[in-house]
Amino acid sequence: MADPADLERLRETLVELDRLRRHERALRLETESLLRALRTLGSAHDADELFDIVVGALRDMVPFETALLVTLGGRGGFRVVRGTAPRLLGMRWSPRALLQRVLDGETVALFDTAQSPDWQTLPKAARAAARSAIMMPVRSQAISGTIVFGHPDAAFFTPAHVHLLKRFTPLIDQALDVMAVRERLEAERLAARLADAGRRKAEAEIRRARDLMESAIGFAPIYLWEIDAELRYAFAEGTAKVLGYAPEELLGRLSIDYFDTQDPPTRAWIAQMERREPFENVVIRRRCKSGGKIWAAVSGVPMFDDRGAFRGYRGITMDVTESTEAKLKLEQMALHDALTGLANRRKFVDRFEPATARMLRSGQPLSLLAVDVDHFKRINDVYGHPAGDEVLIAVGRILDRTVRRTDLAARFGGEEFMVLLENTDAAGAVEVAEKLRLAVAAERFAAGAGETVGVTISIGVATATRDAPPSLDDLIERADHALYAAKLAGRNRVQAED
């Protein structure tokens, strides 16, 4: 008679085998679906057709209700350019923090969009369409953006859906690169019809382009290169379209001469090559034949002969100018006031801590100016808010050009500004404040309809020393008290703290 324990172990083994078979079957079906999608994606001729193919391929695997293609426009803004919800087409896409993560290549999952403050900046129609959302990155030479899949129910999507879309993302990037190569090949075929010799050359380049594309799948290539042990170009392909250089113009030339070797990221990259290390997606500035520069993501691996001697590097360079500049613009927008262009409160707070550390090391005091435009409400009431905005912009410009480059002027909100003065005692801060007050008082500001208006400012001054280093909140409170005293004393004046 069989031992009950053995029977139980046998039963558990059979259950586990069944689970593994089901898991293997699911993986096989998923992989087959991805391969079918890859073959279908390769037939797309433009971004709209590619989006339609993606939506059709994924609908059974990721049961979404809404799918949107959001891309970066010419002015740096993101908009919905295609989607399954016509009412959302053309809508400006505002969640900056989420977009920045997607531009960095992350697939972002929001299992409950109501818990995301960034998502809540979207219009009501977009929020209602998606209580669950997955944002999949779309990054290529021609397009930067995201495909957003949404469902009106919270917690609808699962980690398995996210995993599937992560596997699907490289296929989309590859399809976009195939589209770019196809455009090039079609142009070459057209030229080849003009002469038999041109036809043979075009066919040879088409075969070479196909071989290069297959060897570089997953990198979204722009051009391929090899350099020898002296870091001189030994091979290049695809450089003419991106850089303006024909491949033969680069052969034998020192590769690092085309990069800014004084730039710290470039120096770090060169140091990696000197150590014979591989590198991936090193984003640095690259010079073009026209004299302009692009942002380039450089990836490469060292090559060694059979005896282990270094032979050079082989790699790929991607033009990431559009996505990098979009990321830099998002960072700029996150740290600067949208109206005046001055630093915002967040940047001011970030700057204060290192400034305090420098004060403690050097023993030199730092001062804070609290600046407020006098009777600003009257300007809005009499001339309108556009005139008030122009006054704030002009006052911000005066502050920025009057203080030193090492100082920081920021708008804290409304008509209130702050100026951080390092290595400045109370007397020096009062002198700077007086210069600002006089500069504003001497200006006439546009008020619309050909009218101008004069304004004044009141300034409160507070100073911190190494002997009594305050927190930023304490220093702001002291400067605000001095500002209040200046207001009580008649405005248009500078008041240092007692």
Side-chain angles (χ1 to χ4, degrees), residues 24 49 81 88 249 268 272 278 295 324 338 368 434 456 471 489:
E24 179 185 4
E49 187 175 350
V81 298
L88 302 181
E249 292 182 273
Q272 279 186 283
W295 285 104
T324 301
L368 182 68
E434 189 63 22
T456 61
S471 67

Side-chain angles (χ1 to χ4, degrees), residues 354-366:
T356 302
R358 286 189 289 271
M359 177 191 71
L360 295 175
R361 287 195 303 270
S362 67
Q364 294 296 317
L366 65 81

Side-chain angles (χ1 to χ4, degrees), residues 10 61 82 110 117 133 141 172-173 199 226 246 267-268 302 325 346 364 456 464 482 487:
L10 177 61
M61 293 182 283
R82 193 163 181 82
L110 299 174
Q141 179 186 5
I172 297 176
D173 293 343
R199 179 184 59 80
E226 284 186 9
R267 292 203 302 270
E325 290 183 348
R346 176 182 170 186
Q364 294 296 317
T456 61
K487 294 282 190 181

Side-chain angles (χ1 to χ4, degrees), residues 216-343:
I217 287 176
F219 284 98
I222 300 304
Y223 65 89
L224 303 177
W225 50 265
E226 284 186 9
I227 54 178
D228 61 21
E230 296 179 350
L231 306 186
R232 296 182 181 276
Y233 282 109
F235 168 79
E237 176 65 27
T239 55
K241 181 177 180 181
V242 180
L243 305 174
Y245 289 104
E248 55 268 21
E249 292 182 273
L250 296 174
L251 299 182
R253 296 186 176 273
L254 192 62
S255 59
I256 61 175
D257 283 349
Y258 297 90
F259 296 86
D260 183 0
T261 55
Q262 299 304 311
D263 189 41
T266 303
R267 292 203 302 270
W269 168 61
I270 294 173
Q272 279 186 283
M273 289 196 289
E274 291 173 346
R275 295 191 298 268
R276 312 304 187 227
E277 296 175 350
F279 47 87
E280 183 175 352
N281 291 329
V282 177
V283 179
I284 48 181
R285 295 288 269 173
R286 209 275 188 209
R287 190 166 57 253
C288 300
K289 187 174 182 178
S290 64
K293 294 182 178 180
I294 64 170
W295 285 104
V298 187
S299 301
V301 293
M303 299 183 296
F304 302 91
D305 62 20
D306 294 338
R307 293 176 294 179
F310 176 64
R311 290 179 44 228
Y313 271 89
R314 174 182 295 142
I316 186 167
T317 298
M318 179 190 304
D319 182 353
V320 292
T321 302
E322 188 173 23
S323 60
T324 301
E325 290 183 348
K327 178 181 177 181
L328 293 174
K329 184 168 183 176
L330 287 172
E331 292 174 351
Q332 167 77 8
M333 293 167 66
L335 296 175
H336 291 79
D337 175 56
L339 179 64
T340 65
L342 295 179

Side-chain angles (χ1 to χ4, degrees), residues 84-163:
T84 59
R87 68 186 184 283
L88 302 181
L89 293 180
M91 184 189 73
R92 189 174 183 84
W93 199 262
S94 56
R96 296 174 185 167
L98 295 175
L99 284 171
Q100 187 161 338
R101 290 167 60 189
V102 173
L103 287 174
D104 287 337
E106 180 183 350
T107 298
V108 177
L110 299 174
F111 297 109
D112 186 355
T113 57
Q115 303 302 315
S116 169
D118 204 27
W119 188 271
Q120 299 309 306
T121 62
L122 285 171
K124 183 178 180 181
R127 299 198 307 271
R131 279 293 303 278
S132 298
I134 304 176
M135 299 175 67
M136 184 169 63
V138 177
R139 302 188 300 170
S140 75
Q141 179 186 5
I143 299 175
S144 292
T146 177
I147 296 180
V148 182
F149 297 98
H151 195 280
D153 295 337
F156 179 81
F157 295 123
T158 67
H161 293 140
V162 179
H163 172 73

Side-chain angles (χ1 to χ4, degrees), residues 473-487:
D473 290 340
D474 291 338
L475 197 59
I476 290 175
E477 183 177 0
R478 286 160 49 191
D480 280 339
H481 280 310
L483 172 62
Y484 182 67
K487 294 282 190 181

Side-chain angles (χ1 to χ4, degrees), residues 335 343-356 368 408 410-412 418 420 471-473 476:
L335 296 175
N344 60 15
R345 181 186 290 267
R346 176 182 170 186
K347 182 172 182 178
F348 195 88
V349 171
D350 290 344
R351 178 80 169 267
F352 182 77
E353 184 174 345
T356 302
L368 182 68
L408 180 65
R411 183 183 177 211
F412 262 43
M418 291 285 174
L420 182 64
S471 67
L472 177 58
D473 290 340
I476 290 175

